C-alpha cells in the first residue's frame, strides 16, 4: 500500500512537469514574436506597402520590391523561409515606435540613416546609397535644379526633399504638395506638374511600372545622399551583426545587384556600387 502511494505521487509529479512544459512559452522567441533560430517560428519584418519597386503590397496580397528582396534574403540568413515571414506595414512616422514596441524584428523601408534616428534605433548596413533627384517627362528640358524656377514642382506634404529645393536651390519653383507620390506621378503624366522630387530610388520604382514605361526619366542630379539602413531595436547588437553579415553575403553572391536590376533597372536607374557596411556617405556641407 505504501509503495502504491509513492508511485501515485511520483506519477502526479510527472504529469505536472509535463503539463508545465507543454504550457510554457518558447524560450527561443524574441520580442517580436519570432523564433530566434527559425524552424517552425515566424519573423515579423517592417516594409512599405505603397512604394513600387521598393516595397509594394500587390492586389493578390503578395509583396514585391527591392526592400522586400533585401528583407527576404536577410530573413533567410537568419533562418527563416519566405513563408515564415510576416510583412508588416511600417509608415515613416511610426518606424521607431514599431521597433521599440517589438512589433517587428527589423525594418527595410527606404530608412535613411541619420544621427537623430540613431538615438532611438540601431542600424545595420547601409545597403543602398540613394540620392534626392527629379523625375521628369522624357522630353523635358529641365537639366538642373535651378531650372525649376517658375516651374511646377510636386512632392508629398511635409517632404524635406521638396523644401530643400524650394528653400535654397530654386526658391521660385511653384511647389505643389499632395498626399502621395502616386498623385505627383499622375500630375507629371498629365502635364499639371513639371517635375517630382524625392529619393531617386523611389522615383525609379514608380517610373519602372509598366504603365509609365518610356514616359519618364531621372534627372540624375544627386541633390543629397540617402544611406538606407535596416532598422533594428536599440541595443540589439546581436541582430545588427547578423544582418550586416547577411548583407555582405547578398552583395558577394550577386543577389544584391540582381535585385536592384530587377526592381529599379527598367527606369534606367544608375545605382551606386553597393555601400560598405558601416560607411555613411555624408551630404556636402
Amino acid at each position: 500500500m505504501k509503495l502504491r502511494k509513492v508511485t501515485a505521487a511520483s506519477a502526479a509529479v510527472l504529469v505536472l512537469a509535463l503539463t508545465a512544459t507543454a504550457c510554457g512559452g518558447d524560450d527561443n522567441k524574441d520580442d517580436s514574436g519570432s523564433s530566434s533560430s527559425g524552424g517552425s517560428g515566424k519573423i515579423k519584418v517592417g516594409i512599405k506597402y505603397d512604394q513600387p519597386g521598393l516595397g509594394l503590397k500587390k492586389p493578390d496580397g503578395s509583396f514585391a520590391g527591392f526592400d522586400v528582396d533585401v528583407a527576404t534574403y536577410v530573413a533567410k540568413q537568419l533562418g527563416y523561409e519566405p513563408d515564415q515571414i510576416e510583412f508588416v506595414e511600417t509608415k515613416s512616422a511610426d518606424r521607431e515606435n514599431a521597433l521599440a514596441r517589438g512589433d517587428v524584428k527589423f525594418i527595410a523601408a527606404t530608412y535613411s540613416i541619420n544621427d537623430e534616428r540613431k538615438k532611438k534605433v540601431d542600424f545595420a548596413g547601409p545597403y543602398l546609397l540613394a540620392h534626392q533627384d527629379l523625375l521628369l517627362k522624357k522630353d523635358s528640358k529641365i537639366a538642373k535644379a535651378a531650372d525649376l524656377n517658375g516651374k511646377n514642382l510636386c512632392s508629398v506634404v511635409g517632404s524635406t526633399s521638396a523644401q530643400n529645393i524650394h528653400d535654397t536651390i530654386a526658391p521660385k519653383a511653384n511647389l505643389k504638395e499632395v498626399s502621395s507620390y502616386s498623385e505627383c506621378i499622375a500630375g507629371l503624366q498629365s502635364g499639371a506638374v513639371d517635375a517630382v522630387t524625392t529619393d531617386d530610388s523611389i522615383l525609379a520604382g514608380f517610373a519602372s511600372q509598366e504603365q509609365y514605361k518610356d514616359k519618364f526619366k531621372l534627372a540624375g542630379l544627386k541633390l543629397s545622399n540617402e544611406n538606407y539602413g535596416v532598422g533594428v531595436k536599440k541595443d540589439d547588437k546581436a541582430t545588427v551583426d547578423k544582418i550586416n553579415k547577411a548583407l555582405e553575403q547578398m552583395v558577394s553572391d550577386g543577389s544584391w545587384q540582381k535585385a536592384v536590376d530587377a526592381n529599379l533597372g527598367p527606369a534606367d536607374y544608375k545605382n551606386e556600387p553597393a555601400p560598405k557596411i558601416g560607411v555613411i556617405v555624408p551630404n556636402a556641407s
Side-chain angles (χ1 to χ4, degrees):
M1 188 71 171
K2 189 172 183 180
L3 178 59
R4 282 197 303 186
K5 285 182 179 179
V6 172
T7 303
S10 300
V13 170
L14 178 60
V15 169
L16 287 172
L18 290 173
T19 302
T21 301
C23 295
D26 181 354
D27 290 338
N28 289 327
K29 296 288 183 180
D30 58 34
D31 291 339
S32 69
S34 306
S35 172
S36 61
S37 58
S40 61
K42 295 277 188 178
I43 186 169
K44 294 180 180 180
V45 179
I47 61 168
K48 293 288 183 68
Y49 276 19
D50 59 354
Q51 290 183 342
L54 291 159
L56 182 69
K57 184 175 183 179
K58 299 193 290 186
D60 65 1
S62 63
F63 299 90
F66 178 67
D67 282 343
V68 174
D69 288 348
V70 169
T72 301
Y73 189 99
V74 167
K76 174 73 172 179
Q77 297 302 306
L78 296 180
Y80 299 90
E81 297 300 326
D83 62 358
Q84 293 177 282
I85 303 171
E86 180 182 341
F87 287 116
V88 178
E89 182 176 24
T90 49
K91 297 183 178 180
S92 295
D94 196 45
R95 287 178 296 203
E96 288 82 22
N97 291 331
L99 288 168
R101 291 191 303 259
D103 295 347
V104 294
K105 185 65 175 176
F106 65 84
I107 294 175
T110 59
Y111 204 178
S112 295
I113 301 170
N114 62 41
D115 290 339
E116 190 62 31
R117 288 172 178 162
K118 286 194 290 185
K119 295 176 183 177
K120 302 175 182 178
V121 303
D122 285 339
F123 285 98
Y127 64 91
L128 184 73
L129 176 59
H131 307 283
Q132 183 185 344
D133 200 1
L134 304 176
L135 188 67
L136 311 165
K137 276 192 169 182
K138 279 281 190 179
D139 60 357
S140 175
K141 303 301 182 184
I142 295 173
K144 56 185 183 297
D147 293 339
L148 291 170
N149 284 311
K151 303 292 186 181
N152 295 323
L153 172 67
C154 188
S155 195
V156 297
V157 175
S159 165
T160 55
S161 297
Q163 289 304 136
N164 286 342
I165 291 180
H166 189 257
D167 293 348
T168 61
I169 301 173
K172 294 183 180 179
N174 302 315
L175 176 60
K176 296 180 180 294
E177 294 180 288
V178 297
S179 61
S180 71
Y181 287 114
S182 295
E183 291 180 62
C184 282
I185 302 299
L188 182 62
Q189 185 176 23
S190 69
V193 300
D194 301 295
V196 181
T197 189
T198 187
D199 297 357
D200 54 4
S201 57
I202 297 174
L203 296 173
F206 278 102
S208 293
Q209 295 180 97
E210 185 62 32
Q211 65 265 41
Y212 300 132
K213 187 176 181 180
D214 297 324
K215 293 182 178 180
F216 302 136
K217 65 181 179 181
L218 291 166
L221 298 183
K222 298 185 179 181
L223 299 171
S224 71
N225 293 319
E226 307 296 334
N227 299 269
Y228 289 175
V230 177
V232 176
K233 189 173 184 178
K234 190 67 178 174
D235 297 324
D236 187 357
K237 184 178 184 301
T239 298
V240 169
D241 291 344
K242 290 176 183 177
I243 293 176
N244 279 336
K245 185 176 180 180
L247 293 174
E248 290 175 340
Q249 177 67 28
M250 188 177 187
V251 172
S252 66
D253 70 15
S255 298
W256 183 88
Q257 189 62 55
K258 183 178 179 181
V260 172
D261 293 342
N263 293 292
L264 305 175
D268 293 327
Y269 179 65
K270 304 298 190 294
N271 67 278
E272 298 278 4
K276 299 293 184 182
I277 297 299
V279 177
I280 306 300
V281 180
N283 288 309
S285 56

